[in-house]
Amino acid sequence: MSKLDEATVVVVGAGIMGAGIAQVAAQAGHRVLLHDARADAAGQALDKLRGTFDKLVAKGKFTADEAQAILARIAPIDSLDAAAEAGIAVEAIVEDLEVKRGLLRELEGIVGADCVLATNTSSISITALAGGLEYPGRVVGMHFFNPVPIMQLVEVVAGLQTDPAVADTVFALAEAWGKTAVHARSTPGFIVNRIARPFYAETLRLLEERAATPAVLDACLRGAGFRMGPCELMDLIGIDTNFSVTQSVYEANFYDKRYAPSLLQREMVAGGLYGRKSGRGFYDYAGDDKAEIAKFPLPEAPPSFDTLAVHGDEPLADRIAAALKSRGLHFERVRDSDWSGLQADSARLRLTDGRCAAELGRDVAVFDLPLSDDSSGMALAWSHSARASAEWVAAAPQWLALLGFNPVRIEDAPGLVVARTIAMLINEAADAVQQGVCSEDGADAAMKLGVNYPAGPFEWLDGWNTRAVIELLDRLDTHYRGERYRVSPWLRQRTWREKSQ
Ligand code: NAI
């Protein structure tokens, strides 16, 4: 397979994605032929790109000469016949298997035998698209993210018949275009759209259980370093779009309950509550509905106690110990404890292990997994046992505030917010790696670059503890029953691998 450095690129579909792909290819020096079934669409896309480059020149990102040269490399074409000498065709037309197949067949009749046929599909099987073609080995997914010129990730997706050399060539091409490419195997949702499902699903489930409001859930996940919480992000993406991706991953997995969509989301779609674009989703964009939550006041003095103890031996326990020390408080250190957190007399403030506070005793409060080291003032979910005394219910959040968090109480849901979400993201990524969809590094890069996660699932796993993740998921599984929280075999195997080291 020859390299495509100098190849003419034909982009079919001059919509939002096709125009972006044409732009990055032209910026990388390629001659680009842009075609759309709708007359004038390619010309209009080029006009729009002119406007974009005017702005980029005004901002100093390009000189006027560079912008002109880039734009001059893009030629709208009325007929695909003009694409005969292309080295690669990238299609970004309507998301429909039969229409895309028809286009690929048409292209096969026009381009040379070694022209790569790449598709920007986000949900259709690459194997299915290649089926019935004369040279199915040259069909490969080249999945860009929106907006193409800004988003760094390209998933290079191989179907069952994709020639590995073709996938490697497209990988190198994406990198030459300034992107970070990640290899993926064609499976529902590829990497990003699959691994990201629990980010929305766990929040939707907590909403369905009335455990917390959208504003609280969003604040907790922002507190964990996500740029946006799931509700505000679904409102931005479009509740309908997000629902249809979830539904397509669910259907494509033979209705595996793990991916079951949410009734709440379906109801919102049915009612036209699409998010920002319709003025209302989880938030009301016409009113002053805000995604912010109140700040818990920092107590002037700690709640009263006779004895204090810090349980656990990991960095979180060290962090609690350091916070108490900095306030001049005396405490005992119980390093070989089977839980982590703070004990004031007989009352306990425990890091969630996937059980509800009520399961753990009377004066028990549980708090969420603090993901970032600098959580100063960041929202952190906590809940308390239904049997907890009024004094402990009042004292627990004060202790959390003294430890540097902004405590937000939610109902007594197992695994709270961040812990269950991160555990499920790790679990999904682990399954993807087990099934050969991507590598661990590939999953981390894809989630950071494709959806701006603050870290990749395997980076979270390295900073947490495989056994604790499994334990938490097993407890969610016990609590809910069903397929959703079944532990990835890859995670269990990892504990065996760790043991043998
Ligand atoms: P779009 O609706 O903005 O553009 C599609 C364009 O394709 C339209 O201009 C339409 O006239 C043209 N078209 C339709 N059928 C055609 C045909 N048979 N031959 C030539 N042109 C045809 O859609 P968008 O958002 O750009 O999506 C395009 C593809 O990229 C889809 O497969 C979509 O799933 C995928 N994608 C979209 C992302 C997004 O965020 N919008 C992200 C990643 C992938």
Side-chain angles (χ1 to χ4, degrees):
M1 182 83 234
S2 62
K3 282 171 64 180
L4 292 170
D5 305 356
E6 315 261 311
T8 295
V9 178
V10 57
V11 178
V12 189
I16 185 155
M17 298 302 288
I21 296 166
Q23 180 186 334
V24 295
Q27 278 174 212
H30 293 265
R31 175 166 163 68
V32 179
L33 307 173
L34 183 59
H35 174 74
D36 198 287
R38 198 161 43 84
D40 295 342
Q44 283 162 6
L46 188 56
D47 286 344
K48 215 163 154 200
L49 275 179
R50 284 199 186 93
T52 304
F53 273 96
D54 285 346
K55 286 187 200 132
L56 292 172
V57 169
K59 279 191 194 159
K61 305 262 183 206
F62 293 94
T63 66
D65 286 349
E66 283 165 346
Q68 207 180 3
I70 291 166
L71 288 161
R73 286 197 279 272
I74 306 176
I77 52 170
D78 293 334
S79 159
L80 276 179
D81 293 338
E85 87 279 15
I88 176 169
V90 187
E91 74 77 18
I93 65 165
V94 60
E95 188 76 347
D96 180 299
L97 171 63
E98 284 315 318
V99 182
K100 282 190 194 290
R101 257 190 183 155
L103 171 68
L104 294 175
R105 268 196 296 265
E106 187 185 348
L107 281 167
E108 268 211 322
I110 296 167
V111 298
D114 61 352
C115 174
V116 172
L117 299 182
T119 166
N120 186 45
T121 182
S122 46
S123 66
I124 300 174
S125 151
I126 306 304
T127 309
L129 284 171
L133 289 188
E134 199 176 341
Y135 303 113
R138 58 163 144 177
V139 178
V140 64
M142 193 176 192
H143 185 212
F144 290 85
F145 290 72
N146 187 13
V148 178
I150 291 170
M151 296 301 285
Q152 197 57 34
L153 181 68
V154 176
E155 291 176 341
V156 176
V157 191
L160 283 181
Q161 299 195 75
T162 305
D163 179 345
V166 169
D168 287 343
T169 303
V170 167
F171 187 101
L173 184 70
E175 297 259 323
W177 290 2
K179 301 295 181 191
T180 299
V182 172
H183 280 294
R185 193 165 71 76
S186 183
T187 43
F190 308 144
I191 307 174
V192 171
N193 279 337
R194 172 203 182 141
I195 297 178
R197 291 340 307 147
F199 183 65
Y200 312 105
E202 290 310 302
T203 277
L204 287 164
R205 174 158 270 195
L206 288 165
L207 286 170
E208 281 174 347
E209 288 178 9
R210 308 167 68 82
T213 62
V216 163
L217 295 165
D218 280 349
C220 291
L221 283 149
R222 279 199 308 271
F226 290 90
R227 279 193 207 168
M228 293 177 95
C231 297
E232 47 192 349
L233 184 54
M234 282 185 271
D235 270 3
L236 180 71
I237 294 169
I239 308 289
D240 51 338
T241 306
N242 188 269
F243 181 62
S244 89
V245 175
T246 307
Q247 227 172 355
S248 92
V249 171
Y250 178 51
E251 286 165 16
N253 279 293
F254 299 117
Y255 301 97
D256 182 344
K257 293 286 180 228
R258 167 94 130 236
Y259 305 102
S262 141
L263 284 177
L264 169 65
Q265 207 176 22
R266 187 174 67 181
E267 209 183 348
M268 291 175 78
V269 174
L273 305 177
Y274 297 151
R276 279 180 186 272
K277 64 186 173 191
S278 73
R280 188 157 170 206
F282 292 103
Y283 299 99
D284 183 354
Y285 295 91
D288 56 359
D289 207 5
K290 288 256 163 58
E292 270 121 52
I293 53 155
K295 179 112 186 77
F296 189 89
L298 185 67
E300 280 168 21
S304 65
F305 63 90
D306 289 327
T307 60
L308 269 188
V310 173
H311 286 249
D313 196 22
E314 74 285 80
L316 173 68
D318 294 342
R319 198 161 133 190
I320 295 173
L324 296 179
K325 225 181 242 167
S326 74
R327 295 188 178 272
L329 296 169
H330 296 288
F331 56 90
E332 188 195 341
R333 189 80 200 252
V334 188
R335 290 188 184 273
D336 63 350
S337 179
D338 60 359
W339 60 277
S340 299
L342 178 71
Q343 180 166 1
D345 303 330
S346 64
R348 284 166 294 154
L349 179 58
R350 301 175 49 138
L351 173 67
T352 179
D353 64 4
R355 281 179 288 185
C356 295
E359 277 181 87
L360 294 163
R362 190 174 171 265
D363 275 343
V364 176
V366 289
F367 62 94
D368 210 351
L369 179 72
L371 257 199
S372 103
D373 287 338
D374 174 30
S375 47
S376 42
M378 289 305 222
L380 191 76
W382 73 282
S383 63
H384 62 77
S385 162
R387 293 173 288 146
S389 65
E391 290 75 30
W392 185 234
V393 169
Q398 294 185 32
W399 281 114
L400 285 172
L402 288 166
L403 297 177
F405 303 110
N406 182 26
V408 248
R409 195 185 69 77
I410 71 164
E411 295 305 318
D412 194 10
L416 295 168
V417 182
V418 172
R420 70 195 270 165
T421 303
I422 299 296
M424 284 295 275
L425 289 168
I426 290 171
N427 202 41
E428 197 53 51
D431 263 358
V433 167
Q434 174 124 57
Q435 293 158 11
V437 175
C438 57
S439 64
E440 294 169 49
D441 288 348
D444 283 346
M447 301 318 286
K448 287 192 288 185
L449 301 175
V451 268
N452 290 322
Y453 282 6
F458 294 98
E459 290 169 342
W460 283 318
L461 182 60
D462 286 342
W464 198 352
N465 173 323
T466 315
R467 262 166 239 283
V469 174
I470 292 175
E471 204 171 70
L472 191 128
L473 291 167
D474 274 338
R475 283 171 171 155
L476 287 166
D477 188 40
T478 305
H479 185 88
Y480 290 108
R481 299 288 182 202
E483 290 298 303
R484 179 166 170 145
Y485 297 101
R486 66 171 189 263
V487 173
S488 166
W490 187 93
L491 281 176
R492 294 204 201 274
Q493 285 161 346
R494 176 162 155 143
T495 63
W496 305 333
R497 285 195 294 273
E498 285 167 353
K499 235 189 251 168
S500 64
Q501 271 167 15

